[in-house]
Amino acid sequence: MYISLCSIEQQQKIVDVLDKVENLIDKRQQQLNLLDGLIKSRFIEMFGDLAINNKQWQIMKFTDCAIIDTNMILNFNGYENYSHIGIDSIEKNTGKIFGYRTVKEDRIITGKYLFSSEHIIYIRIRPNLNKIALPTFNGVCSADAYSILPKKDVCNRNFLAHVLSSSVFLNYILNFSKYTNLPKVNKIRSKALCFQCHRLNYKINFLHLLNRLKK
């Protein structure tokens, strides 16, 4: 086996560039971690601790705030150019959607759930990974996900996504799957979840805060 080598000087320049890139990546990750911490602290400041409801908000069931949309399609005629979001298309903890392709490109033949830019995509396999996405387009998602549609007049989409990614929901749902080899979120258990229902204007203010922080 032969390896092409440039001069020592060129090798050092390449190493220096790579070191700078890695340093920038590390700094960017630190910024993202700080931003995530800021969002969580502002969430608690505005809405209180979800676990103890220290601000005494009204308690409502999940089903009062959103529905788990079970609009599954089996015939993909007319949906060929829809984006297909699989369980590996959502980054854990951040909810970033990446690396997805179309229904046609993935040659989808099994049932998938429809979603729109108003839905939340919640991957129910291994919920501890917190794979929760807020799509900005229409598409189909894995049958191992829930396509959740918040009720606009009751619950803000971003707010509900934060509830679903919170330790309160995670601890609640893992309690029912801790003895299984592959933890899954159960639809019935999800619908039984109760949490504080905050005034809609609070949720809208929280959305504005998120938009400002992400700019």
Side-chain angles (χ1 to χ4, degrees):
M1 177 178 179
Y2 295 92
I3 301 176
S4 299
L5 289 177
C6 52
S7 68
I8 292 294
E9 290 77 14
Q10 286 294 326
Q11 292 177 40
Q12 186 59 51
K13 288 181 180 179
I14 292 172
V15 170
D16 290 342
V17 170
L18 292 176
D19 287 342
K20 289 180 180 179
V21 170
E22 289 181 357
N23 187 46
L24 288 173
I25 292 173
D26 289 341
K27 288 183 177 180
R28 180 58 176 166
Q29 187 59 53
Q30 291 173 13
Q31 291 176 338
L32 292 174
N33 292 339
L34 289 172
L35 177 60
D36 184 58
L38 176 59
I39 291 173
K40 289 179 179 178
S41 65
R42 288 292 288 135
F43 183 91
I44 293 175
E45 180 182 334
M46 294 177 71
F47 303 111
D49 189 334
L50 294 178
I52 61 176
N53 192 18
N54 57 316
K55 293 198 174 185
Q56 299 298 305
W57 295 100
Q58 177 187 359
I59 301 297
M60 295 185 71
K61 290 184 178 180
F62 176 90
T63 50
D64 294 325
C65 301
I67 62 172
I68 296 179
D69 200 338
T70 55
N71 186 10
M72 177 176 280
I73 57 172
L74 300 171
N75 185 342
F76 295 94
N77 290 332
Y79 296 98
E80 294 87 352
N81 294 322
Y82 268 48
S83 299
H84 170 230
I85 306 302
I87 59 176
D88 294 327
S89 302
I90 300 176
E91 188 174 69
K92 65 179 181 179
N93 295 321
T94 70
K96 179 182 177 182
I97 302 175
F98 66 99
Y100 59 89
R101 295 171 297 198
T102 64
V103 167
K104 182 178 180 180
E105 288 171 331
D106 281 345
R107 299 180 181 179
I108 301 300
I109 58 173
T110 58
K112 304 294 177 185
Y113 291 120
L114 280 170
F115 68 82
S116 70
S117 58
E118 297 181 348
H119 285 78
I120 298 170
I121 303 175
Y122 182 94
I123 303 298
R124 64 191 186 95
I125 302 296
R126 298 176 66 194
N128 56 301
L129 295 180
N130 263 341
K131 290 191 173 188
I132 303 167
L134 299 174
T136 57
F137 49 84
N138 298 336
V140 298
C141 64
S142 167
D144 287 324
Y146 288 141
S147 182
I148 299 173
L149 184 63
K151 298 180 180 179
K152 285 184 177 180
D153 58 336
V154 178
C155 194
N156 173 272
R157 186 173 77 139
N158 288 76
F159 173 82
L160 183 56
H162 275 270
V163 171
L164 295 175
S165 64
S166 70
S167 59
V168 174
F169 180 75
L170 183 59
N171 292 336
Y172 166 81
I173 213 67
L174 288 180
N175 186 53
F176 299 106
S177 57
K178 59 185 177 182
Y179 298 115
T180 61
N181 291 328
L182 184 61
K184 294 182 182 180
V185 176
N186 180 281
K187 184 185 297 184
I188 295 176
R189 298 295 187 187
S190 300
K191 289 182 176 180
L193 174 70
C194 296
F195 60 92
Q196 300 96 291
C197 182
H198 312 85
R199 289 196 298 272
L200 192 58
N201 62 319
Y202 268 66
K203 299 167 188 172
I204 293 173
N205 289 338
F206 183 65
L207 174 60
H208 290 164
L209 171 66
L210 286 179
N211 290 336
R212 290 199 303 271
L213 290 174
K214 290 178 179 179
K215 288 182 178 179

